Amino acid sequence: DNALYTDGGLLYAEPLLSATPSSASLLNQTFGQTYWAVSAAGTLKCGVDPDDPIFGTVSGQAHGFSVDLCKALAAAIFPQATEATIMSYITLVPVTPATRFDAIISGRIDVLASVTVPSEGRQVSLQMTYTRPYFFDVQAFAVLANSSVTSLAQLDQPQYSFCTGVGSIAYATARAYLKNAIGIATTSTSEAMAMVLNGTCTAVTSNKATLPQDSSFKIFGSIDRA
């Protein structure tokens, strides 16, 4: 299959971090505003998607790749923190694909540490700035293990449907390739997977790393956005 290569990056609100390569003074100014605001508050408000176990489980003992990124940022801002105390300098704020950008704009979080596909449209319309990519993945589809659907061509029929979370770019990407299948926006990836399990939806689409890896599902298909 062709591959849809997506990448995740930390996002900051434009008032907190914004600069063009030629505006060094603005870079220093805005970096300073972010740093001193977080330093004065004594905590880094880090947005993490709790519906993504590999990257950001926040209930119970917080863990995941996104949580580790929050720890690394906090360690850079609060040098007095130790491995044992680092979490006391972090406020993990649960966000979803539908609420993550509003959380940045409103100031509810200082930084979004969640797998988010960079796009020029998001940068312009939402006034967001991305850091360098830190994770690369493909967008894929998961159906029940006993489903007869095994390809995008088979899925693209009016009797079939695909589900993905509201606010995810995965919906628009899938819709560009699936002209006939019914598209359903859900509140979360876990809800989409539950709908596949109960027969309400044929397939769930998302970053491959976040799709179910157990024997109840089978994964297929990738989309080339290049």
Side-chain angles (χ1 to χ4, degrees), residues 76-106:
I77 299 170
F78 305 105
Q80 71 274 24
T82 65
E83 183 176 354
T85 64
I86 189 64
M87 289 304 298
S88 65
Y89 294 91
I90 302 170
T91 300
L92 291 175
V93 181
V95 295
T96 69
T99 64
R100 55 187 170 176
F101 299 129
D102 287 340
I104 299 175
I105 294 171
S106 67

Side-chain angles (χ1 to χ4, degrees), residues 14 23 35 40 50 54 58 60 71 84 95 121 124 126 131 157 172 191 208:
E14 187 73 12
S23 57
Y35 173 83
I54 296 176
V58 298
K71 290 180 180 179
V95 295
V124 173
L126 298 174
T131 63
Q157 304 297 327
E191 181 189 3
K208 187 174 183 179

Side-chain angles (χ1 to χ4, degrees), residues 184-209:
I184 302 174
T186 62
T187 58
S188 64
T189 301
S190 60
E191 181 189 3
M193 288 189 287
M195 291 177 68
V196 173
L197 283 170
N198 66 28
T200 309
C201 194
T202 309
V204 55
T205 181
S206 185
N207 293 328
K208 187 174 183 179

Side-chain angles (χ1 to χ4, degrees), residues 16-51:
L16 300 179
L17 174 60
S18 168
T20 60
S22 60
S23 57
S25 61
L26 177 60
L27 178 64
N28 292 333
Q29 177 184 358
T30 51
F31 258 120
Q33 290 174 352
T34 303
Y35 173 83
W36 290 116
V38 174
S39 181
T43 185
L44 174 68
K45 295 177 293 184
C46 208
V48 176
D49 186 352
D51 192 45

